[in-house]
Amino acid sequence: MSTPGRGLHGRVLESLGPAITAGEYPPGSVLRTDELVQEFDVSRSVMREVVRVLESMHLVESRRRVGVTVRPRAEWNVYDPQVIRWRLAGADRPHQLRSLTVLRSAIEPAAAGLAAKYATAAHCAELTECALGLVATSRGQQLEQYLVHDVAFHRVILNASGNEMFARLGDVVEEVLAGRTHHAVMFEDPDPAAVTLHVQVAEAVRAGDAVRAERLTREITVGALQELDILAP
């Protein structure tokens, strides 16, 4: 997971970014650099660096003689891990979680099917290790430890697919899994059926059974959507 900037730059970014994604500065709002410098008590150089980062996320754009303008939500880089994190921390969390989980349900089953065809012996070994880790941490309210294995498991699936576009979604999947855990959109212990499904996916990939790997992974994502219906309606 990427980490925010440190020091003054990080402090301002971690205040201004979530405020924009939460709608405190609606699209079209103009942020005056002089006012921001005064509000956050930082230098103009620090504020310029913050604006550059926000521009790279397509959250804002700078215009001469106008200022820094908040861009329409449709133009945001919604795949940026930090943008995802900020949105998950705000009031839009249920919608964001559902949107990301639907994305997973479209991508991960296909990736698992490809992984069953193209995974190397190293991928299979890593996937099995992750599955065993999920089993070991699935009881006793060990959600943080479970998260580590869960993120690693899904990254292996995406990487083992052999598709570079799927592999690049690893950070997105990590953010949604972390968001569910850190914002209490998880049961105190993971669903035993979901844990079993992960183990079975690892077995299907190792056996080269693409159809089964895809079907089981789809069951995982469907279960995640059903949990959202209960925990984040």
Side-chain angles (χ1 to χ4, degrees):
M1 185 185 301
S2 61
T3 56
R6 297 178 180 177
L8 293 175
H9 162 265
R11 176 175 64 80
V12 178
L13 189 62
E14 286 302 309
S15 178
L16 198 53
I20 292 172
T21 58
E24 294 179 29
Y25 299 99
S29 299
V30 177
L31 311 178
R32 306 291 181 183
T33 302
D34 290 340
E35 295 175 0
L36 292 173
V37 165
Q38 185 173 6
E39 177 183 350
F40 291 101
D41 191 24
V42 294
S43 67
R44 294 181 67 85
S45 62
V46 168
M47 189 54 64
R48 280 196 297 269
E49 179 59 28
V50 170
V51 170
R52 277 196 291 269
V53 174
L54 295 175
E55 283 182 312
S56 74
M57 300 172 177
H58 296 181
L59 296 180
V60 303
E61 61 181 341
S62 297
R63 295 178 180 175
R64 293 187 63 183
R65 300 188 180 89
V66 175
V68 179
T69 306
V70 178
R71 300 176 68 163
R73 181 172 299 195
E75 298 178 3
W76 294 355
N77 181 4
V78 293
Y79 288 101
D80 186 290
Q82 196 152 298
V83 173
I84 292 173
R85 198 176 317 141
W86 288 339
R87 295 180 72 188
L88 287 175
D92 196 36
R93 183 182 307 134
H95 176 268
Q96 175 74 341
L97 279 171
R98 183 166 295 278
S99 178
L100 290 165
T101 305
V102 169
L103 174 67
R104 289 183 59 202
S105 70
I107 297 299
E108 289 196 68
L114 289 171
K117 296 179 180 180
Y118 302 120
T120 64
H123 285 139
C124 293
E126 188 176 358
L127 205 57
T128 299
E129 183 179 352
C130 292
L132 293 175
L134 289 171
V135 173
T137 56
S138 63
R139 287 290 174 269
Q141 300 177 24
Q142 303 180 70
L143 289 183
E144 286 294 338
Q145 295 91 326
Y146 183 89
L147 174 63
V148 172
H149 300 294
D150 201 17
V151 168
F153 182 96
H154 291 281
R155 278 193 181 276
V156 175
I157 290 291
L158 293 169
N159 291 332
S161 72
N163 184 296
E164 61 184 7
M165 304 301 288
F166 286 176
R168 288 298 298 273
L169 290 174
D171 289 343
V172 173
V173 173
E174 177 174 356
E175 289 300 333
V176 66
L177 294 174
R180 289 174 59 201
T181 300
H182 297 152
H183 296 292
V185 192
M186 285 275 289
F187 296 113
E188 290 185 347
D189 283 328
D191 180 6
V195 177
T196 299
L197 284 170
H198 282 75
V199 174
Q200 292 173 338
V201 168
E203 293 171 346
V205 170
R206 188 171 62 247
D209 190 337
V211 173
R212 186 165 185 261
E214 184 169 344
R215 176 178 57 79
L216 292 169
T217 304
R218 183 168 288 108
E219 288 185 38
I220 291 174
T221 59
V222 168
L225 280 169
Q226 291 173 342
E227 284 189 8
L228 290 181
D229 288 337
I230 299 171
L231 299 172

